[in-house]
Amino acid sequence: MVSPNSEGAAAPSEENSGGRTGRRWTLRRERSREPMTPARFLRRIVQFGLGLILLWVGAVLWLGLLYWVVPPVSTLMLGRWLTLQSVERTYVPLDGISPHLPLAVMTSEDSRFCEHGGVDWLALQEVIEDADEDGPSRGASTIPMQVAKNLFLTPSRSYIRKGLEIPVALYLDLIWSKRQMMEVYLNIAEWGEGVFGAEAAAQKYFRKSAKDLTRREAALLARALPNPLRRNPGRPTARLNALAGQLQARMSSAAPYSECLRP
């Protein structure tokens, strides 16, 4: 009698295992040779799209944490590097920037910055209610939403991009302090062709450090942000001067609402 543990009894098991493996490979080869039907093509497109989305979500989650310790770079900066264009940017901490600038930017672009959790739902609701058949006449982007766009999205205008901004802004506001959010924004904002961040802008337009910006200069820089490629803070037009003057007046009353920017 042959023992169940003998080599002779083991052989059929190995052969069966090899046979099953061979059949699996055969089935895979047969499937790969199947004609590409519209349904299969659509399924592959969907799978590819889902893979890209998961990859992007993972990048947002990990880079958001990594940017605690590593100076972040914007998609515009990356695009210029990839096309061999120059980038002017010197990353400085918020303490290395004149307090006039974050106050001016907050007053100009996101007056409830210290109150909301990344998205100003009240402003967003007002924009939706005021929209007509041509779409909204103004935006409701908060500073966290602009940071989300600059770091992880493209500058193109679309409802899809705006929809993606919201969850990313909520995530960044959850893991970052308000001071860090403002610091990142002031270091990745575009202030001209290839000019990024407060330090590079201060040096280019006023020949000084961002720490030494005056109240007037901060207001000019803040008012240039909506259209940085056409508005020159160093050589302001009459309109830009007027906008900066109005902003300076508003900055005085907004100062008490900037408590979250204090160390």
Side-chain angles (χ1 to χ4, degrees):
M1 180 179 292
V2 180
S3 171
N5 295 326
S6 67
E7 294 182 359
S13 176
E14 292 173 359
E15 290 176 0
N16 291 339
S17 176
R20 286 194 297 271
T21 302
R23 284 195 296 273
R24 282 198 296 268
W25 279 108
T26 301
L27 288 172
R28 289 177 184 175
R29 285 198 299 270
E30 290 175 353
R31 288 173 183 170
S32 65
R33 293 172 183 170
E34 291 178 5
M36 181 62 71
T37 63
R40 288 190 65 200
F41 179 75
L42 180 60
R43 184 167 62 249
R44 290 194 178 183
I45 291 295
V46 171
Q47 291 173 345
F48 180 73
L50 289 175
L52 287 180
I53 292 173
L54 290 175
L55 183 64
W56 178 78
V57 170
V60 170
L61 294 175
W62 284 108
L63 287 176
L65 298 173
L66 182 64
Y67 286 155
W68 277 344
V69 293
V70 176
V73 295
S74 69
T75 53
L76 286 176
M77 294 168 66
L78 288 173
R80 291 186 66 86
W81 280 325
L82 291 174
T83 53
L84 304 180
Q85 299 181 75
S86 64
V87 171
E88 298 178 45
R89 200 278 287 269
T90 301
Y91 196 97
V92 292
L94 193 60
D95 290 336
I97 300 174
S98 166
H100 298 308
L101 186 57
L103 179 61
V105 168
M106 187 192 77
T107 305
S108 175
E109 303 201 352
D110 190 359
S111 60
R112 288 196 277 259
F113 173 70
C114 289
E115 302 172 20
H116 61 65
V119 177
D120 190 340
W121 298 107
L122 292 176
L124 191 61
Q125 182 178 359
E126 291 173 0
V127 168
I128 294 174
E129 291 175 350
D130 293 341
D132 54 23
E133 62 274 5
D134 296 324
S137 59
R138 59 190 176 91
S141 289
T142 61
I143 287 175
M145 290 172 70
Q146 294 183 59
V147 170
K149 176 196 69 176
N150 291 341
L151 290 182
F152 302 110
L153 299 164
T154 64
S156 61
R157 293 177 178 271
S158 70
Y159 288 109
I160 294 177
R161 193 213 72 192
K162 185 64 68 175
L164 292 174
E165 276 182 22
I166 292 176
V168 178
L170 293 172
Y171 170 66
L172 294 179
D173 195 84
L174 179 66
I175 64 173
W176 292 356
S177 67
K178 293 292 186 180
R179 279 181 58 83
Q180 184 178 5
M181 184 73 71
M182 181 63 75
E183 178 181 303
V184 169
Y185 181 60
L186 294 180
N187 277 282
I188 63 173
E190 185 182 26
W191 263 295
E193 186 70 32
V195 179
F196 296 89
E199 183 66 24
Q203 294 289 350
K204 178 177 177 64
Y205 297 118
F206 305 113
R207 300 292 187 269
K208 61 172 64 175
S209 169
K211 191 174 182 64
D212 300 322
L213 289 169
T214 66
R215 193 179 186 86
R216 175 69 176 175
E217 292 163 346
L220 286 168
L221 285 172
R223 279 307 195 183
L225 277 175
N227 198 343
L229 299 181
R230 298 188 64 180
R231 295 181 180 180
N232 187 329
R235 296 179 180 177
T237 61
R239 174 170 173 73
L240 182 55
N241 268 321
L243 291 173
Q246 295 169 2
L247 179 58
Q248 281 184 270
R250 290 173 53 202
M251 286 166 63
S252 299
S253 59
Y257 301 99
S258 61
E259 294 290 332
C260 64
L261 298 179
R262 295 186 179 180

